[in-house]
Amino acid sequence: MPCEVQPRFLVLYGSQKGQAQSIAEGIVEEAQDHGLVAELSCLNQTEKFNLEKENAPVVFIVSTTGDGEPPDNALQFVKHMKKKTLSTDHYKHLRYTLLALGDTNYANFCNCGKTIERRLQELGAEQFYNTGYADDGVGLEVVVDPWLEGLWKAIKEALSKMASDRIALLKEDAGSSSKETPDSYTPNVQLNLLSLSDQQDCHIVRASADTDSKYATADSIPASATQTAISDLSCDPTAGIPVSVPQTIATANASISALDTQTEYAGDPQAASLSRSLPPLSESSLNVPALPPPYLDVSLQDVDTVEQNIGRLNNESLIEVPIHRAVQLTRGDSVKTAVLLELDISAHPEMFFEPGDSFDVFCPNRATEVEAMLHRLGLQDKRNHRVHVSLKKETKKKGAQVPSYIPQNISLLYLFTWCLEIRSVPKKAFLRALVEHTGDSVQRRRLQELCSKQGAADYNLHVRDLSLSVLELLTVFPSCSPPLRLLIEHLPKLQPRPYSAASSRLKHPGKLHFVFNVVEFPACYGRPAGKRGLCTGWLFDLINRGLVFPGKAECSDSLALPTIHVSLRSNCSFRPPSDLSVPFIMIGPGTGVAPFIGFLQQREKERQEKPEAVFGETWLFFGCRHRDRDYLFREELEGFLCSGVLNHLKVCFSRDEPEQEEEQVTASAARPRYVQHILLRNGRYVTDILLKQSGYLYVCGDAKNMAKDVNDTLIEIIKAELRVDQFEAMKTLAGLREEKRYLQDIWG
């Protein structure tokens, strides 16, 4: 009698902020609908898997962080793979596919995924399905959805082929030994692999996939549907495996006029909005994600006192330091407000940093938003109750765990203040879960649209691109009343915010400077009033009363400033060359100039301490809107230029009129507005420093525009100066990256 074997495969993920992990978990959950068993592991959980002996297909889901670096939980795995002692047939038995997550706004797009893939191939592994490269700059789902859709057929074909190969090998072994052991036999193994043809007797539409959770293999949701019916169907009773779980979800006719919400934002009442769709979407059948299985039990305990365990703030790497000084760097009616903070780290000699290093600032959620969230959930009277979180018994979520960032014995108020990122943009899986807790049929339908494959454009336009928070979304959908459990399951960890050091220990011993712009989010539908960035707004509120303004002397009796929690980040690459004779170029418009102030302060002290040393040339390209309003560190930079610490200072002002500029521009030459323009004008010097003198180039600032434009300009410079084509210029620039001589510290 044949023995039935439920085929398995392995899913490995490396994730920095949870996106890759969420996709991996969705794959594992959906596997059972395809009659497969998926085993899930993080890449740092090497005790749970062994690729050296793995005989099942392996699916890698990996993101990239920083300047093309692996996520923290994938670092050791990548280091192991890079070992030169591994032979070229080390993974010859392995069959794999890979989904890489990245952002084309950053130069090293999907670099971690590319590194793992390249190394797998070098070590003999065989790919069974094409790699997917998902771009968060345009929306991960553009690549993730079709990649996941085709994954299941590829896995089944790979499993079938691997099983056939093993059976053929067994038969070959049996045949070669049959003369000696006539009673030997080949095991009769039947694999219940589902193929697309297995579903011909079922009323099923194809499965879709989402970046945040699996999509149900489900009937499309008609726009006129008004009932909910979920039933399990087995199309092949002989297989012993459920082929599908058709799911029809309650919807309502979306031709109804726009929702009358408490946050109606001025605009065309007939236009599509967060709460209202237009044809064809409003009339379309929908493919929505399967409902994410609940996996937590949450209860609140009324106690007299709750010990406010500060949880992750007790981390040994965290340091509580006082703000010593706060200076506003911008003047007048500048578009942005830039502030310099000086931290007193003299009591913490272990906080050793170099110019170019960065550090994390741990900030809480805004008190007003926490209170608004408690009121929205109807829990305002339970803010001081103790929160108890445990794993739900018999949960269907594979690998479910209580979030490690939620400590024991904390209050509900503390949970929302320090643990959960309540400003995070809700993912589609979260929207799908919210549908089940929404009473109004029109609002249910709209939430279904926003999380559906057909509504991807609306989701991007009205939620993702506007950075709309969960609280803002709930305000627009007043009939949605999610339980506390749902928010804990879907809201990510409150992340610290990174900042670059803007000083040198040699010039400012015991002090650490950093610079930030106060981020402003404009009003939009769902957000009737603008708001400030979480961390920059919090910092500005902390120091506002003691802020020193440009041109005004500091008062000796100024108000004492508060303390903040910080932690150094490891960074060994974005630093000045260790060889003082090597020239380097710095490109840092706006607050991107901050780390280069530390570079130049360091160089100033080194010149004083080593007067006989040979120092390489230094160039700085800086840009801002107005010379008299937001020319940050102007006096200090001009002082560096006069003393010879900085050899070349190239500046441009994008909003000033030509007559306001010091340099006269001829009629035949366009006035340079941005740093890439003045970089292009100095192309000959740039190529000479980088390619003839083996110099370094550093870029700091905005990733979405400036860094991309600078990169494109460098390619044009290399093309022109070396007289090569686009491909060769790109190869040359890639070589500089490989040599760690073209370095970036950029943010989105």
Side-chain angles (χ1 to χ4, degrees):
M1 179 178 178
C3 63
E4 292 185 356
V5 178
Q6 195 171 33
R8 62 174 284 275
F9 66 98
L10 181 64
V11 181
L12 301 176
Y13 69 87
S15 183
Q16 189 69 22
K17 294 185 177 180
Q19 286 275 45
Q21 180 178 351
S22 178
I23 294 172
E25 290 173 347
I27 291 173
V28 172
E29 291 168 12
E30 189 171 356
Q32 59 187 352
D33 295 343
H34 295 269
L36 304 173
V37 173
E39 297 178 3
L40 178 69
S41 294
C42 181
L43 285 170
N44 64 359
Q45 296 174 314
T46 51
E47 73 282 357
K48 295 177 62 177
F49 66 92
N50 185 357
L51 292 186
E52 278 71 14
K53 297 181 180 180
E54 185 57 64
N55 59 5
V58 181
V59 179
F60 291 91
I61 313 292
V62 293
S63 62
T64 295
T65 188
D67 189 19
E69 301 300 323
D72 292 341
N73 56 19
L75 271 172
Q76 293 305 315
F77 177 82
V78 173
K79 286 182 180 180
H80 172 75
M81 289 193 71
K82 286 183 175 181
K83 287 183 178 179
K84 296 181 179 180
T85 55
L86 300 179
S87 64
T88 55
D89 62 351
H90 187 75
Y91 287 137
K92 69 177 183 179
H93 61 284
L94 205 61
R95 302 295 179 267
Y96 79 95
T97 187
L98 187 144
L99 175 63
L101 311 184
D103 190 331
T104 49
N105 290 314
Y106 296 82
N108 291 325
F109 176 63
C110 289
N111 189 60
C112 179
K114 291 176 180 178
T115 299
I116 291 176
E117 181 178 34
R118 181 176 64 249
R119 196 64 182 131
L120 284 169
Q121 293 176 353
E122 290 173 351
L123 299 176
E126 181 180 325
Q127 186 182 57
F128 70 83
Y129 182 49
N130 289 338
T131 298
Y133 298 101
D135 180 12
D136 198 32
V138 298
L140 294 173
E141 66 275 5
V142 174
V143 169
V144 173
D145 284 1
W147 189 88
L148 289 176
E149 186 176 328
L151 175 65
W152 302 107
K153 182 180 178 181
I155 288 177
K156 293 167 188 176
E157 290 176 349
L159 282 163
S160 182
K161 183 179 183 301
M162 294 170 74
S164 298
D165 291 345
R166 284 195 290 271
I167 291 172
L169 182 60
L170 286 171
K171 288 181 177 180
E172 182 180 331
D173 292 342
S176 63
S177 60
S178 60
K179 294 181 181 179
E180 298 178 7
T181 56
D183 293 332
S184 64
Y185 67 94
T186 302
N188 185 2
V189 179
Q190 175 181 322
L191 292 176
N192 287 317
L193 295 176
L194 302 179
S195 65
L196 297 181
S197 60
D198 293 333
Q199 302 181 5
Q200 58 188 350
D201 296 328
C202 301
H203 178 56
I204 300 172
V205 297
R206 62 180 173 79
S208 299
D210 180 74
T211 61
D212 305 308
S213 73
K214 64 173 184 176
Y215 269 82
T217 305
D219 291 327
S220 294
I221 300 172
S224 60
T226 57
Q227 299 296 323
T228 299
I230 301 177
S231 59
D232 294 343
L233 299 179
S234 178
C235 299
D236 184 2
T238 63
I241 301 172
V243 175
S244 67
V245 183
Q247 182 185 54
T248 305
I249 301 176
T251 58
N253 195 314
S255 61
I256 301 175
S257 61
L259 290 172
D260 179 18
T261 70
Q262 299 174 358
T263 59
E264 189 69 39
Y265 185 71
D268 183 357
Q270 298 303 314
S273 68
L274 176 64
S275 63
R276 181 179 189 272
S277 64
L278 296 177
L281 178 60
S282 63
E283 300 171 352
S284 298
S285 295
L286 303 174
N287 296 94
V288 302
L291 183 64
Y295 66 95
L296 293 178
D297 280 326
V298 179
S299 61
L300 298 177
Q301 180 182 0
D302 187 8
V303 292
D304 293 333
T305 59
V306 177
E307 181 185 351
Q308 290 298 325
N309 182 349
I310 62 173
R312 59 185 176 82
L313 297 185
N314 278 335
N315 189 306
E316 291 181 359
S317 65
L318 287 182
I319 299 173
E320 185 176 4
V321 295
I323 299 174
H324 183 257
R325 188 166 61 104
V327 180
Q328 182 170 318
L329 299 178
T330 47
R331 300 168 180 265
D333 57 348
S334 177
V335 175
K336 297 180 180 180
T337 300
V339 177
L340 167 73
L341 289 192
E342 180 179 83
L343 305 181
D344 185 353
I345 60 172
S346 57
H348 303 279
E350 72 277 12
M351 196 165 180
F352 184 89
F353 71 96
E354 296 290 344
D357 285 353
S358 57
F359 62 98
D360 287 327
V361 173
F362 290 80
C363 68
N365 288 308
R366 293 188 71 85
T368 54
E369 293 174 19
V370 171
E371 286 298 321
M373 179 67 82
L374 292 173
H375 276 267
R376 183 63 180 79
L377 298 176
L379 299 173
Q380 64 271 23
D381 295 332
K382 299 181 180 180
R383 59 171 55 84
N384 293 320
H385 282 42
R386 179 184 292 131
V387 181
H388 179 72
V389 182
S390 60
L391 202 61
K392 182 181 289 291
K393 294 181 179 179
E394 299 179 356
T395 177
K396 294 181 180 180
K397 181 178 175 65
K398 298 289 184 67
Q401 294 180 339
V402 174
S404 60
Y405 48 86
I406 299 180
Q408 297 295 320
N409 198 36
I410 59 169
S411 69
L412 181 60
L413 180 64
Y414 184 87
L415 174 75
F416 280 117
T417 301
W418 285 104
C419 301
L420 302 177
E421 185 94 53
I422 64 175
R423 278 200 181 185
S424 64
V425 176
K427 297 184 175 65
K428 292 183 180 180
F430 196 0
L431 298 184
R432 172 63 187 89
L434 290 175
V435 169
E436 303 304 303
H437 304 279
T438 303
D440 183 85
S441 60
V442 178
Q443 296 177 29
R444 284 173 63 91
R445 165 70 189 191
R446 186 52 175 154
L447 285 172
Q448 289 165 348
E449 290 173 349
L450 291 171
C451 71
S452 71
K453 181 178 181 180
Q454 291 77 8
D458 271 29
Y459 172 80
N460 288 339
L461 180 63
H462 300 299
V463 180
R464 179 179 179 271
D465 294 347
L466 297 178
S467 298
L468 213 65
S469 72
V470 175
L471 179 60
E472 290 162 343
L473 185 90
L474 289 175
T475 306
V476 176
F477 295 89
S479 75
C480 182
S481 301
L484 176 60
R485 167 194 62 78
L486 201 66
L487 273 71
I488 297 176
E489 287 178 346
H490 288 274
L491 288 177
K493 172 185 177 181
L494 179 60
Q495 296 284 348
R497 273 45 176 180
Y499 294 93
S500 299
S503 59
S504 165
R505 292 179 299 105
L506 298 182
K507 183 168 185 177
H508 298 284
K511 300 294 189 295
L512 170 61
H513 294 181
F514 71 99
V515 178
F516 64 90
N517 277 329
V518 180
V519 178
E520 301 283 352
F521 292 98
C524 63
Y525 190 95
R527 185 191 301 136
K531 65 181 181 182
R532 288 175 174 164
L534 180 61
C535 191
T536 60
W538 174 69
L539 288 171
F540 190 75
D541 289 343
L542 284 180
I543 53 87
N544 195 18
R545 294 181 62 193
L547 188 63
V548 177
F549 292 92
K552 295 186 178 180
E554 298 182 38
C555 299
S556 57
D557 58 346
S558 58
L559 295 172
L561 294 171
T563 62
I564 61 175
H565 287 86
V566 300
S567 175
L568 279 178
R569 295 164 63 95
S570 58
N571 175 20
C572 299
S573 58
F574 199 85
R575 291 177 176 174
S578 56
D579 185 346
L580 300 178
S581 66
V582 173
F584 59 92
I585 299 167
M586 300 163 284
I587 303 173
T591 56
V593 74
F596 303 133
I597 297 299
F599 280 33
L600 295 170
Q601 288 178 356
Q602 185 95 345
R603 175 56 60 95
E604 181 181 47
K605 286 298 181 181
E606 288 170 341
R607 283 167 60 92
Q608 294 173 0
E609 295 173 358
K610 303 175 182 178
E612 304 302 321
V614 176
F615 291 89
E617 270 192 331
T618 54
W619 290 64
L620 174 63
F621 292 85
F622 174 79
C624 61
R625 287 180 171 83
H626 303 283
R627 179 187 296 273
D628 296 327
R629 300 182 199 174
D630 52 359
Y631 188 168
L632 309 184
F633 299 102
R634 177 177 179 176
E635 293 78 8
E636 192 165 2
L637 289 174
E638 291 176 349
F640 288 140
L641 189 64
C642 290
S643 66
V645 171
L646 180 62
N647 301 108
H648 304 276
L649 175 60
K650 304 295 181 181
V651 297
C652 59
F653 310 98
S654 62
R655 302 293 190 271
D656 282 346
E657 294 300 323
E659 60 267 23
Q660 291 180 273
E661 298 183 24
E662 293 179 1
E663 295 185 10
Q664 295 298 317
V665 182
T666 63
S668 60
R671 180 172 64 93
R673 288 183 177 273
Y674 302 107
V675 287
Q676 63 267 25
H677 299 150
I678 48 178
L679 186 68
L680 188 62
R681 286 190 173 189
N682 292 274
R684 182 176 302 176
Y685 301 107
V686 171
T687 53
D688 181 74
I689 289 173
L690 294 179
L691 304 179
K692 294 182 180 179
Q693 300 183 50
S694 298
Y696 287 63
L697 186 141
Y698 303 86
V699 180
C700 183
D702 168 51
K704 292 184 178 179
N705 299 301
M706 182 276 298
K708 292 177 69 174
D709 291 340
V710 165
N711 190 80
D712 292 344
T713 300
L714 289 171
I715 291 174
E716 293 302 315
I717 289 173
I718 294 172
K719 283 171 59 179
E721 296 299 326
L722 299 188
R723 298 182 181 181
V724 297
D725 60 19
Q726 180 90 1
F727 180 70
E728 287 299 320
M730 292 174 68
K731 279 179 59 179
T732 301
L733 204 57
L736 293 176
R737 291 186 186 279
E738 289 291 326
E739 297 171 16
K740 299 293 184 182
R741 294 197 292 116
Y742 175 19
L743 299 161
Q744 294 180 313
D745 179 5
I746 56 179
W747 54 85

